[in-house]
Amino acid sequence: MKKYKIAVIKGDGVGPEIIDATLQVLDAVSVNEDFELEYEEYLMGGIAYDITGSPLPEKTIKGCKEANAILFGAIGGPKWDNLPRHLRPESGLLKLRQELGVFANLRPTLVYDELVNASTLKESVVKGVNLVVVRELTGGIYFGTPREKGDDKAFNTMVYERYEVERIAKIAFDLAMKRDKKVCSVDKANVLEVSQFWREIVIEIAKDYPEVELTHMYVDNAAMQLVRDPKQFDVILTGNLFGDILSDEASMITGSIGLLPSASIGGRVGLYEPIHGSAPDIARQGIANPIATIASSAMMLRYALNENSAATKVENAIIKTLQDGYRTKDLSQFRAKEVCSTIEIGSIIAGFASK
Ligand code: IPM
Ligand code: MG
């Protein structure tokens, strides 16, 4: 029997609830497969700061590096908002991404047919949307130096090195080859040198992928096009900050930010997490939607563990649950037969996934 070590980080806010729901699904799906999952819990974020004084304790970094994959809930909350930057929960996550070298963040946006009415956009605009944002995750303005915050002036630096653009572009083109063979690279090359550089390198990499159609879009236009006609996109390739913004925007095409998973890959160990935050306003009420995390665990099974049959079972179980009308509160107005708590939705998905 194969054994995989999964580092589990519940984090803050709704993190523990959505992870508990997800672990039920993983347990259920592994019953009929020839692998076992061993979970080891680690602290990160506000809770880690409260207990250890650091948002990312050394023990967490070490445990994550030794695991086969990392499943992560969410971090942050108003309680820690006034801490100095390096102690904030977000710094823990950013440092973990950097430590792991997970430079590629894949954020698929898939509109479930059952939820076409949940989107704030018209059904005709969103039905059938299936795109993925490939966001560069360990560079750009998030990490560039110099950076400084003074009394009269503050600044950050948006910087990309050639190798950083090359490797993320390759990920996007490789992915496009398995999909509809379209890459739209999003930048701000009409204003920023760093974007002009990005664009030139993407064009160079594209030469190795003659079958893939490459287009370029300025980020302001891309933000507009995403709500005007999201079906025009297959793979959106972009930098760290633009990808952060566009992936939140893309999530609302699907009706709820509680549905979108992500995989951060490119290092030895991958990090699998929902794209949403810790939602402190709804924490501990049992109403958070765990589907984004459950879908992230499916990405984990597929990309990190190569357990494709289990991954497909989890994905199908999500679809079946939605088809049967089970909804968490965020989606209760959309063809709901029954409104369920976070853990109940997890059990229902687990039930379908174990078949
Ligand atoms: C995300 C989040 C993070 C980011 C925050 C929490 C640092 O918004 O994963 O999209 O900006 O990358
Ligand atoms: Mg974000």
Side-chain angles (χ1 to χ4, degrees), residues 107 135 142 244-245 247-248 275:
R107 297 189 159 183
R135 169 188 177 195
Y142 272 55
D244 179 47
I245 299 165
S247 58
D248 265 33
I275 79 151

Side-chain angles (χ1 to χ4, degrees), residues 11-154:
D12 309 316
V14 297
E17 298 157 67
I18 55 180
I19 290 284
D20 287 343
T22 302
L23 295 184
Q24 288 187 80
V25 178
L26 285 174
D27 286 340
V29 75
S30 44
V31 168
N32 295 319
E33 300 278 334
D34 64 341
F35 65 84
E36 249 173 49
L37 302 175
E38 275 178 9
Y39 310 119
E40 192 73 56
E41 261 191 58
Y42 294 98
L43 294 172
M44 184 167 85
I47 183 167
Y49 171 77
D50 287 348
I51 296 174
T52 72
S54 158
L56 181 67
E58 277 303 317
K59 196 174 159 206
T60 300
I61 300 176
K62 187 163 178 285
C64 286
K65 284 186 175 168
E66 284 167 2
N68 294 102
I70 305 155
L71 184 66
F72 164 53
I75 44 122
K79 185 177 170 196
W80 304 283
D81 275 354
N82 295 322
L83 287 172
R85 202 191 125 95
H86 71 286
L87 294 176
R88 285 182 60 132
E90 291 81 0
S91 299
L93 175 59
L94 295 179
K95 182 156 180 240
L96 183 64
R97 288 173 178 168
Q98 207 177 28
E99 284 278 344
L100 295 167
V102 287
F103 65 84
N105 184 217
L106 314 184
R107 297 189 159 183
T109 294
L110 185 75
V111 171
Y112 295 106
D113 278 349
E114 297 67 34
L115 295 176
V116 280
N117 297 312
S119 178
T120 48
L121 302 180
K122 284 194 200 114
E123 177 172 338
S124 60
V125 174
V126 303
K127 193 169 165 41
V129 165
N130 182 351
L131 62 90
V132 50
V133 177
V134 175
R135 169 188 177 195
E136 198 290 327
L137 199 62
T138 53
I141 197 164
Y142 272 55
F143 295 93
T145 51
R147 59 195 302 162
E148 200 175 291
K149 181 162 171 287
D151 287 335
D152 299 313
K153 185 165 107 179

